[in-house]
Amino acid sequence: MTQAPEPRKGMPSPQLVESEFKARFLSRFADPAFESLGAELARIADAAWDGYINHRKAPRTRKAGPGYADPDYDLSIDWIAARAAVEAAQARHDDRNGPCRILLINGSSRSEHTCPGEMSKSYRLCEIAREELAVEGVSVALLDLSRLASEYGREIHPCKACFSTSPALCHWPCSCYPNYSLGQVHDWMNDIFPMWVEAHGIMIVTPVNWYQVSSPLKLMMDRLVCADGGNPDPTRTHGKDAKAAKQIELEGWDYPKHLKDRVFSVVVHGDVEGAENVRRSLSDWLRFMDLAPAGVNAELDRYIGYWKPYATSHQELDLDTAVQTEVRNAARTLVEAAKANHQGKLLMAGQGLKAPRQK
């Protein structure tokens, strides 16, 4: 049997000294309204420092119990709740008597409720799609990623790339957050994972940002890596034991596809360049996770107000009735495929084949 190599080490420590930690911690209370609470904040900072220096990532745990490789392992209460939400979402997905469910995603970070002072075209296109989806009588959930920039306490923390050490170390759903010792809380992904799981169809509407998807969309994409081969039992790796995870992978890993067989639509719009490449990138990503394109009309890349001033881009969308119709057609195509998929009538050729190489 191949023995797992030792995890490579050598990067400089990011650990802060107490004075720097407290300065950063207290910086969020710069508003003069907090000045009268200086003594209380100092005590809170002391407690936060204690959690930080003692690395209490998950201070509230319970025994895993039956159904896990190590029933006596202390699992995070937050992760247990996240797994229960994912399992409930899977049950809704599998219920043939329930509604056909569509997840509609606005990938733009622009919002009238923050610095830009104006809604995004992506949001408007989502509304056009939602109107069409509602006519079709399906259950529609809107995931508006612009709230990362406009809503208090909305965050998607970056992927820590556990998968690159070993897929067994990347837990499904993600166990990297919350990390209370580092103040990495308010992570939105534990709400987002069930939205993906319960859906029969996914529709992503996004702008092009510097030849790429938007930063909120990319954050979500990276964190969904655990849905494509991630480990559903953290007790097998005793949390984040990198060497144990390597050994498990070398003994044989089956790369479970937790979102497979759903159908998708992708709508990408740009101003000058990059729309086709972003659409291909998103479609390739979804295909790699074993989601299926709903149909040729469901994948769309277009320019709105090509090389025109940004100031008049919404007026350009008003005039572009063709792209509005194309978005409606993409929504109709997705619904048709999602309904058939929900009823078990959608033929996905090669669905039962297993690829000889997973990663």
Side-chain angles (χ1 to χ4, degrees), residues 9-32:
K9 311 282 187 179
M11 296 172 73
S13 172
Q15 185 163 305
L16 305 177
V17 298
E18 184 174 358
S19 59
E20 177 64 18
F21 172 85
K22 288 184 176 179
R24 292 191 188 184
F25 179 83
L26 293 171
S27 66
R28 70 187 65 192
F29 304 107
D31 191 311

Side-chain angles (χ1 to χ4, degrees), residues 94-106:
D94 295 343
D95 182 7
R96 292 279 175 84
N97 296 317
C100 178
R101 301 176 186 274
I102 302 294
L103 175 59
L104 179 59
I105 300 172
N106 170 29

Side-chain angles (χ1 to χ4, degrees), residues 25-26 29-30 34-47:
F25 179 83
L26 293 171
F29 304 107
F34 292 105
E35 287 179 357
S36 64
L37 302 173
E40 290 87 346
L41 287 172
R43 292 177 59 198
I44 293 170
D46 286 340

